[in-house]
Amino acid sequence: MAAPAPIVSQTALSMMSTALVLAGEKPLNSITDPRYGAQVVASLFDMVYENELQNNPWRFSCKKGQLSRINQQPINEWKYAWQIPTDCLSMVGFWGVGPDRLYEIYGNVIYTNISSNPGVAAATLTAEYQFKPDPSTLPSYFSLLVTCALAKHICKPITESDSARTKCEQAYEVQRGRAMFADARQRPNRPLQHKPFIQCR
């Protein structure tokens, strides 16, 4: 008995299909398509998708959450251990780690030295981190970026053409710039707060 086909959202299927078209192949109608190109793009999708997410702190893939403190005493210089959320792809930043702003990540645990000031509670640590959104919720600029990234990776195995791969790489770089510009508008520019010349007076 054949293994059941993996469940793939219509949006993911659309991105894989368009990537095949950009690489010079026929569109993908089903995840069970037996063609070599279809198998290549299906095997690479999750890896390419997560890689593109982690290459930049995209605003649509970021959220904040309060971390849970682990009841264990870290060794060496650290005082507190915190559990990284299970849906975390990568950390962006922290609030409450103390004036030194130092921390280290070991596996799925964060070690910190929270301020020893009596007025600062040692039981709270808020983190901003990236998660993996469902493909159906992606903004169009990122869907196209993932599509171009897929085409870039599958072009050479399918076409065996260096020139075709170069064109796919160029299209990817153009779309990456556009996507980063569009995403940057989701957060306004913040003025610099560092004033070394004023502070040294």
Side-chain angles (χ1 to χ4, degrees), residues 72-91:
Q72 70 177 38
Q73 180 65 41
I75 60 175
N76 302 119
E77 74 273 30
W78 304 111
K79 297 179 181 178
Y80 304 103
W82 308 85
Q83 184 68 56
I84 294 178
T86 56
D87 63 340
C88 174
L89 278 180
S90 63
M91 283 293 172

Side-chain angles (χ1 to χ4, degrees), residues 17-123:
S17 179
T18 307
L20 283 172
V21 173
L22 292 177
E25 271 269 2
K26 293 180 179 179
L28 186 66
N29 295 319
S30 169
I31 195 64
T32 58
D33 192 321
R35 289 179 294 149
Y36 172 70
Q39 295 176 8
V40 171
V41 73
S43 66
L44 288 176
F45 178 79
D46 282 334
M47 186 185 304
V48 170
Y49 179 35
E50 290 190 11
N51 182 66
E52 291 304 318
L53 283 172
Q54 292 175 297
N55 274 341
N56 187 64
W58 306 98
R59 301 314 308 156
F60 63 86
S61 69
C62 290
K63 64 181 178 180
K64 291 183 180 180
Q66 191 164 301
L67 305 188
S68 299
R69 185 178 166 191
I70 300 174
N71 188 23
Q72 70 177 38
Q73 180 65 41
I75 60 175
N76 302 119
E77 74 273 30
W78 304 111
K79 297 179 181 178
Y80 304 103
W82 308 85
Q83 184 68 56
I84 294 178
T86 56
D87 63 340
C88 174
L89 278 180
S90 63
M91 283 293 172
V92 178
F94 300 94
W95 288 261
V97 295
D100 55 11
R101 309 292 294 176
L102 296 178
Y103 65 89
E104 282 190 295
I105 296 177
Y106 292 91
N108 62 349
V109 176
I110 300 169
Y111 288 166
T112 68
N113 282 332
I114 293 195
S115 172
S116 59
N117 295 334
V120 178

